[in-house]
Amino acid sequence: NTDIMRLMEKAGMTRLDKIIADSAEMKSIAEFRSKGWNVQPSEKGQDSVNIGIDLLKRYALNITERSLGMKKESENYVYQEDRAGTISNKPVDDFNHGWDAVRYVALNCLNKKKMTAPKLTII
C-alpha cells in the first residue's frame, strides 16, 4: 500500500481525490485513510457484476494504446458457456481486475448521477 500511495502521488493524485476501492479490502482502505487519502469502499450488492456491466454498456469506453493490461482483459473477457455451447449471463472470473475497478466507479459514481450526455469517454 505504501508503494501504491507513492505511485499515486507521483501520478499527481492528491489526498482530496475520491478513490473507490474494493470493499473486500477494508484493512487496506483503513490504511489509506490513516494516511489521509479519501478512499471509499465500493458499494456492492446482489448481482453487482452484471449491473455494473450493464451500466458500462451505456457508455462509449476508449482504451489507450498504453493500457496493455486493459486491452488484454478486453480481448479475453468472456461469459461462462455450458457443454452445449450456450452462453450464460455470468462472466468468467478471469481477465477482470481492471474492469472490476471501472465497474466500481460506474456503480458508485455514475449510477448516482443523472448524466445529460448519452455517452461518456474514458481515456
Side-chain angles (χ1 to χ4, degrees), residues 16-87:
L16 298 177
D17 293 325
K18 183 177 183 178
I19 300 165
I20 308 294
D22 188 344
S23 59
E25 298 293 333
M26 292 307 291
K27 190 173 179 181
S28 292
I29 291 171
E31 182 178 350
F32 277 85
R33 286 179 170 176
S34 75
K35 302 292 184 187
W37 290 93
N38 181 19
V39 178
Q40 306 298 318
S42 60
E43 294 177 19
K44 299 179 190 177
Q46 188 169 352
D47 204 28
S48 64
V49 173
N50 283 327
I51 292 169
I53 290 169
D54 289 343
L55 182 60
L56 288 173
K57 286 179 179 178
R58 299 178 194 172
Y59 300 94
L61 304 175
N62 297 303
I63 301 170
T64 66
E65 290 287 327
R66 297 180 315 172
S67 301
L68 301 178
M70 289 298 287
K71 186 176 179 185
K72 181 177 180 179
E73 286 189 12
S74 294
E75 293 168 351
N76 291 283
Y77 196 84
V78 294
Y79 287 85
Q80 292 180 4
E81 189 174 328
D82 67 17
R83 289 186 177 143
T86 304
I87 298 173

Side-chain angles (χ1 to χ4, degrees), residues 3-22:
D3 290 341
I4 293 170
M5 289 180 219
R6 274 193 226 112
L7 288 171
M8 291 183 340
E9 287 175 337
K10 188 176 179 181
M13 293 180 69
T14 72
R15 285 170 170 71
L16 298 177
D17 293 325
K18 183 177 183 178
I19 300 165
I20 308 294
D22 188 344

